[in-house]
Amino acid sequence: MLRVLVHPADISDTEGAKWLLAAHYQSFPRMREIRVDEGYKKGLDEWLRQNTAIRLNVIEKPLGQTGFAVIPKRWVVERSIAWAGRNRLVSKEYNRNPESSEAFLYLGSIAMLLNRLYPRC
């Protein structure tokens, strides 16, 4: 995970993405594309064109798809979210403070990367 933003549930994902990108897109000057699901279609593409050089790539499900199907580029994000959910402190929502939730997401990501570098015997 590069950056995390935990926000109240009454804020749309698109609005949260704008907040996050406005604060951090300059930290990643080589970022040229962001892949999102269909929930981000409305408004984010126009905002990105006006404020950044980042392109929006909306990964849509194939026409006529019923039930579950692996969508290649979108699976990377879904897998990362699932890995974060395996961390007990993240999955149980114990924290009332959004900053604490963000910190536990970062810590879980660091732990996962360290486990990959130095697997348990």
Side-chain angles (χ1 to χ4, degrees):
M1 283 186 240
L2 297 175
R3 292 288 188 261
V4 174
L5 173 66
V6 175
H7 57 76
D10 64 345
I11 295 172
S12 72
D13 290 342
T14 299
E15 200 61 34
K18 290 177 187 178
W19 288 359
L20 184 67
L21 290 167
H24 298 291
Y25 81 92
Q26 293 175 340
S27 301
F28 306 99
R30 295 183 355 189
M31 185 182 299
R32 298 286 176 243
E33 178 182 83
I34 296 175
R35 295 179 185 140
V36 297
D37 64 15
E38 295 170 273
Y40 291 87
K41 267 200 252 188
K42 205 174 199 176
L44 187 57
D45 193 27
E46 182 180 330
W47 185 88
L48 283 171
R49 271 192 248 115
Q50 291 175 358
N51 297 293
T52 71
I54 300 171
R55 287 178 293 130
L56 188 69
N57 184 358
V58 179
I59 309 297
E60 299 178 353
K61 66 181 181 178
L63 291 174
Q65 174 192 332
T66 57
F68 176 78
V70 175
I71 301 172
K73 301 296 182 185
R74 188 167 156 185
W75 184 248
V76 175
V77 175
E78 299 295 338
R79 179 190 63 201
S80 300
I81 293 169
W83 283 340
R86 290 172 61 190
N87 183 335
R88 188 168 191 270
L89 291 171
V90 173
S91 66
K92 298 300 178 193
E93 297 295 328
Y94 290 122
N95 304 307
R96 294 175 192 245
N97 186 347
E99 288 83 9
S100 296
S101 296
E102 291 172 7
F104 283 121
L105 281 164
Y106 285 126
L107 287 171
S109 179
I110 290 167
M112 183 184 65
L113 291 172
L114 287 172
N115 283 333
R116 283 187 181 177
L117 286 172
Y118 304 103
R120 297 176 190 157
C121 298

PDB file of all heavy atoms in Angstrom, residues 6-8 11 14 40 53 60 63 74 77 80 86-88 96-97 105:
ATOM      1  N   VAL A   6      -8.674   6.538   5.725  1.00  0.00           N
ATOM      2  CA  VAL A   6      -9.884   6.012   6.353  1.00  0.00           C
ATOM      3  C   VAL A   6     -10.790   7.211   6.596  1.00  0.00           C
ATOM      4  O   VAL A   6     -10.395   8.176   7.237  1.00  0.00           O
ATOM      5  CB  VAL A   6      -9.558   5.282   7.675  1.00  0.00           C
ATOM      6  CG1 VAL A   6     -10.834   4.838   8.378  1.00  0.00           C
ATOM      7  CG2 VAL A   6      -8.644   4.098   7.407  1.00  0.00           C
ATOM      8  N   HIS A   7     -11.995   7.129   6.050  1.00  0.00           N
ATOM      9  CA  HIS A   7     -12.933   8.247   6.181  1.00  0.00           C
ATOM     10  C   HIS A   7     -14.293   7.726   6.591  1.00  0.00           C
ATOM     11  O   HIS A   7     -14.557   6.526   6.525  1.00  0.00           O
ATOM     12  CB  HIS A   7     -13.013   9.053   4.882  1.00  0.00           C
ATOM     13  CG  HIS A   7     -13.401   8.238   3.682  1.00  0.00           C
ATOM     14  ND1 HIS A   7     -14.682   7.822   3.437  1.00  0.00           N
ATOM     15  CD2 HIS A   7     -12.655   7.759   2.653  1.00  0.00           C
ATOM     16  CE1 HIS A   7     -14.737   7.144   2.328  1.00  0.00           C
ATOM     17  NE2 HIS A   7     -13.509   7.078   1.816  1.00  0.00           N
ATOM     18  N   PRO A   8     -15.196   8.615   7.035  1.00  0.00           N
ATOM     19  CA  PRO A   8     -16.535   8.179   7.454  1.00  0.00           C
ATOM     20  C   PRO A   8     -17.288   7.515   6.304  1.00  0.00           C
ATOM     21  O   PRO A   8     -17.035   7.794   5.122  1.00  0.00           O
ATOM     22  CB  PRO A   8     -17.231   9.482   7.862  1.00  0.00           C
ATOM     23  CG  PRO A   8     -16.133  10.453   8.108  1.00  0.00           C
ATOM     24  CD  PRO A   8     -14.991  10.051   7.224  1.00  0.00           C
ATOM     25  N   ILE A  11     -19.137   9.378   3.222  1.00  0.00           N
ATOM     26  CA  ILE A  11     -18.367  10.008   2.148  1.00  0.00           C
ATOM     27  C   ILE A  11     -18.155   8.960   1.058  1.00  0.00           C
ATOM     28  O   ILE A  11     -17.749   7.838   1.338  1.00  0.00           O
ATOM     29  CB  ILE A  11     -17.015  10.524   2.679  1.00  0.00           C
ATOM     30  CG1 ILE A  11     -17.266  11.645   3.692  1.00  0.00           C
ATOM     31  CG2 ILE A  11     -16.125  11.010   1.544  1.00  0.00           C
ATOM     32  CD1 ILE A  11     -16.031  12.098   4.411  1.00  0.00           C
ATOM     33  N   THR A  14     -15.386   7.987  -4.358  1.00  0.00           N
ATOM     34  CA  THR A  14     -14.833   8.964  -5.298  1.00  0.00           C
ATOM     35  C   THR A  14     -14.328  10.197  -4.563  1.00  0.00           C
ATOM     36  O   THR A  14     -13.241  10.696  -4.836  1.00  0.00           O
ATOM     37  CB  THR A  14     -15.893   9.367  -6.345  1.00  0.00           C
ATOM     38  OG1 THR A  14     -16.289   8.199  -7.069  1.00  0.00           O
ATOM     39  CG2 THR A  14     -15.358  10.404  -7.304  1.00  0.00           C
ATOM     40  N   TYR A  40     -15.971   4.128  -9.089  1.00  0.00           N
ATOM     41  CA  TYR A  40     -15.251   5.400  -9.146  1.00  0.00           C
ATOM     42  C   TYR A  40     -15.482   6.156 -10.450  1.00  0.00           C
ATOM     43  O   TYR A  40     -14.896   7.195 -10.671  1.00  0.00           O
ATOM     44  CB  TYR A  40     -13.747   5.157  -8.999  1.00  0.00           C
ATOM     45  CG  TYR A  40     -13.338   4.703  -7.625  1.00  0.00           C
ATOM     46  CD1 TYR A  40     -13.346   3.358  -7.283  1.00  0.00           C
ATOM     47  CD2 TYR A  40     -12.946   5.617  -6.667  1.00  0.00           C
ATOM     48  CE1 TYR A  40     -12.961   2.933  -6.029  1.00  0.00           C
ATOM     49  CE2 TYR A  40     -12.562   5.203  -5.401  1.00  0.00           C
ATOM     50  CZ  TYR A  40     -12.579   3.861  -5.098  1.00  0.00           C
ATOM     51  OH  TYR A  40     -12.197   3.463  -3.853  1.00  0.00           O
ATOM     52  N   ALA A  53      -1.730  14.640 -13.843  1.00  0.00           N
ATOM     53  CA  ALA A  53      -1.404  14.024 -15.131  1.00  0.00           C
ATOM     54  C   ALA A  53      -1.697  12.527 -15.094  1.00  0.00           C
ATOM     55  O   ALA A  53      -1.271  11.783 -15.969  1.00  0.00           O
ATOM     56  CB  ALA A  53       0.072  14.266 -15.455  1.00  0.00           C
ATOM     57  N   GLU A  60     -13.874  -2.725 -15.753  1.00  0.00           N
ATOM     58  CA  GLU A  60     -15.280  -3.114 -15.721  1.00  0.00           C
ATOM     59  C   GLU A  60     -15.417  -4.619 -15.885  1.00  0.00           C
ATOM     60  O   GLU A  60     -14.563  -5.264 -16.485  1.00  0.00           O
ATOM     61  CB  GLU A  60     -16.046  -2.395 -16.824  1.00  0.00           C
ATOM     62  CG  GLU A  60     -16.017  -0.882 -16.676  1.00  0.00           C
ATOM     63  CD  GLU A  60     -16.744  -0.161 -17.799  1.00  0.00           C
ATOM     64  OE1 GLU A  60     -17.155  -0.829 -18.769  1.00  0.00           O
ATOM     65  OE2 GLU A  60     -16.892   1.061 -17.692  1.00  0.00           O
ATOM     66  N   LEU A  63     -19.313  -7.892 -20.231  1.00  0.00           N
ATOM     67  CA  LEU A  63     -20.749  -7.901 -20.499  1.00  0.00           C
ATOM     68  C   LEU A  63     -21.281  -9.325 -20.404  1.00  0.00           C
ATOM     69  O   LEU A  63     -20.656 -10.272 -20.875  1.00  0.00           O
ATOM     70  CB  LEU A  63     -21.028  -7.345 -21.898  1.00  0.00           C
ATOM     71  CG  LEU A  63     -20.754  -5.847 -22.076  1.00  0.00           C
ATOM     72  CD1 LEU A  63     -20.914  -5.452 -23.527  1.00  0.00           C
ATOM     73  CD2 LEU A  63     -21.685  -5.038 -21.205  1.00  0.00           C
ATOM     74  N   ARG A  74      -8.198  -6.095 -11.821  1.00  0.00           N
ATOM     75  CA  ARG A  74      -8.927  -5.760 -10.599  1.00  0.00           C
ATOM     76  C   ARG A  74      -8.596  -6.737  -9.472  1.00  0.00           C
ATOM     77  O   ARG A  74      -8.660  -6.393  -8.296  1.00  0.00           O
ATOM     78  CB  ARG A  74     -10.415  -5.779 -10.910  1.00  0.00           C
ATOM     79  CG  ARG A  74     -11.278  -5.270  -9.793  1.00  0.00           C
ATOM     80  CD  ARG A  74     -12.655  -5.043 -10.319  1.00  0.00           C
ATOM     81  NE  ARG A  74     -13.641  -5.103  -9.278  1.00  0.00           N
ATOM     82  CZ  ARG A  74     -14.918  -5.023  -9.489  1.00  0.00           C
ATOM     83  NH1 ARG A  74     -15.375  -4.892 -10.701  1.00  0.00           N
ATOM     84  NH2 ARG A  74     -15.759  -5.081  -8.494  1.00  0.00           N
ATOM     85  N   VAL A  77      -6.111  -5.598  -6.681  1.00  0.00           N
ATOM     86  CA  VAL A  77      -6.633  -4.748  -5.611  1.00  0.00           C
ATOM     87  C   VAL A  77      -7.466  -5.568  -4.634  1.00  0.00           C
ATOM     88  O   VAL A  77      -7.307  -5.451  -3.417  1.00  0.00           O
ATOM     89  CB  VAL A  77      -7.471  -3.591  -6.198  1.00  0.00           C
ATOM     90  CG1 VAL A  77      -8.127  -2.779  -5.101  1.00  0.00           C
ATOM     91  CG2 VAL A  77      -6.603  -2.713  -7.074  1.00  0.00           C
ATOM     92  N   SER A  80      -5.253  -7.558  -2.370  1.00  0.00           N
ATOM     93  CA  SER A  80      -4.590  -6.729  -1.363  1.00  0.00           C
ATOM     94  C   SER A  80      -5.533  -6.390  -0.216  1.00  0.00           C
ATOM     95  O   SER A  80      -5.140  -6.399   0.953  1.00  0.00           O
ATOM     96  CB  SER A  80      -4.053  -5.448  -1.998  1.00  0.00           C
ATOM     97  OG  SER A  80      -3.128  -5.759  -3.006  1.00  0.00           O
ATOM     98  N   ARG A  86      -6.926  -9.945   6.760  1.00  0.00           N
ATOM     99  CA  ARG A  86      -6.443 -11.059   7.572  1.00  0.00           C
ATOM    100  C   ARG A  86      -5.804 -10.575   8.870  1.00  0.00           C
ATOM    101  O   ARG A  86      -5.621 -11.348   9.800  1.00  0.00           O
ATOM    102  CB  ARG A  86      -5.432 -11.885   6.780  1.00  0.00           C
ATOM    103  CG  ARG A  86      -6.096 -12.654   5.654  1.00  0.00           C
ATOM    104  CD  ARG A  86      -5.113 -13.314   4.748  1.00  0.00           C
ATOM    105  NE  ARG A  86      -4.296 -14.268   5.476  1.00  0.00           N
ATOM    106  CZ  ARG A  86      -3.225 -14.843   4.967  1.00  0.00           C
ATOM    107  NH1 ARG A  86      -2.844 -14.560   3.739  1.00  0.00           N
ATOM    108  NH2 ARG A  86      -2.521 -15.705   5.660  1.00  0.00           N
ATOM    109  N   ASN A  87      -5.470  -9.306   8.940  1.00  0.00           N
ATOM    110  CA  ASN A  87      -4.899  -8.728  10.149  1.00  0.00           C
ATOM    111  C   ASN A  87      -6.036  -8.458  11.129  1.00  0.00           C
ATOM    112  O   ASN A  87      -6.937  -7.677  10.843  1.00  0.00           O
ATOM    113  CB  ASN A  87      -4.162  -7.427   9.782  1.00  0.00           C
ATOM    114  CG  ASN A  87      -3.473  -6.798  10.951  1.00  0.00           C
ATOM    115  OD1 ASN A  87      -3.853  -6.989  12.101  1.00  0.00           O
ATOM    116  ND2 ASN A  87      -2.454  -6.030  10.665  1.00  0.00           N
ATOM    117  N   ARG A  88      -5.998  -9.053  12.287  1.00  0.00           N
ATOM    118  CA  ARG A  88      -7.102  -8.960  13.247  1.00  0.00           C
ATOM    119  C   ARG A  88      -7.411  -7.522  13.657  1.00  0.00           C
ATOM    120  O   ARG A  88      -8.567  -7.143  13.812  1.00  0.00           O
ATOM    121  CB  ARG A  88      -6.774  -9.797  14.487  1.00  0.00           C
ATOM    122  CG  ARG A  88      -7.925  -9.907  15.448  1.00  0.00           C
ATOM    123  CD  ARG A  88      -7.630 -10.994  16.487  1.00  0.00           C
ATOM    124  NE  ARG A  88      -8.805 -11.298  17.257  1.00  0.00           N
ATOM    125  CZ  ARG A  88      -9.120 -10.685  18.380  1.00  0.00           C
ATOM    126  NH1 ARG A  88      -8.372  -9.741  18.855  1.00  0.00           N
ATOM    127  NH2 ARG A  88     -10.215 -11.027  19.039  1.00  0.00           N
ATOM    128  N   ARG A  96     -11.738   3.809  17.151  1.00  0.00           N
ATOM    129  CA  ARG A  96     -12.682   4.893  16.894  1.00  0.00           C
ATOM    130  C   ARG A  96     -11.987   6.034  16.164  1.00  0.00           C
ATOM    131  O   ARG A  96     -12.623   6.904  15.621  1.00  0.00           O
ATOM    132  CB  ARG A  96     -13.252   5.400  18.211  1.00  0.00           C
ATOM    133  CG  ARG A  96     -14.096   4.367  18.900  1.00  0.00           C
ATOM    134  CD  ARG A  96     -14.536   4.861  20.257  1.00  0.00           C
ATOM    135  NE  ARG A  96     -15.103   3.757  21.009  1.00  0.00           N
ATOM    136  CZ  ARG A  96     -16.365   3.708  21.358  1.00  0.00           C
ATOM    137  NH1 ARG A  96     -17.175   4.681  21.055  1.00  0.00           N
ATOM    138  NH2 ARG A  96     -16.818   2.677  22.031  1.00  0.00           N
ATOM    139  N   ASN A  97     -10.686   6.021  16.163  1.00  0.00           N
ATOM    140  CA  ASN A  97      -9.900   7.070  15.560  1.00  0.00           C
ATOM    141  C   ASN A  97      -9.424   6.621  14.165  1.00  0.00           C
ATOM    142  O   ASN A  97      -8.736   5.611  14.061  1.00  0.00           O
ATOM    143  CB  ASN A  97      -8.699   7.354  16.477  1.00  0.00           C
ATOM    144  CG  ASN A  97      -7.884   8.512  16.026  1.00  0.00           C
ATOM    145  OD1 ASN A  97      -8.021   9.001  14.922  1.00  0.00           O
ATOM    146  ND2 ASN A  97      -7.001   8.962  16.905  1.00  0.00           N
ATOM    147  N   LEU A 105      -3.365  -0.437   9.213  1.00  0.00           N
ATOM    148  CA  LEU A 105      -3.268  -0.894   7.819  1.00  0.00           C
ATOM    149  C   LEU A 105      -1.818  -0.860   7.345  1.00  0.00           C
ATOM    150  O   LEU A 105      -1.340  -1.791   6.694  1.00  0.00           O
ATOM    151  CB  LEU A 105      -4.151  -0.038   6.913  1.00  0.00           C
ATOM    152  CG  LEU A 105      -5.629  -0.378   6.950  1.00  0.00           C
ATOM    153  CD1 LEU A 105      -6.449   0.743   6.335  1.00  0.00           C
ATOM    154  CD2 LEU A 105      -5.883  -1.683   6.227  1.00  0.00           C
TER     155      LEU A 105
END
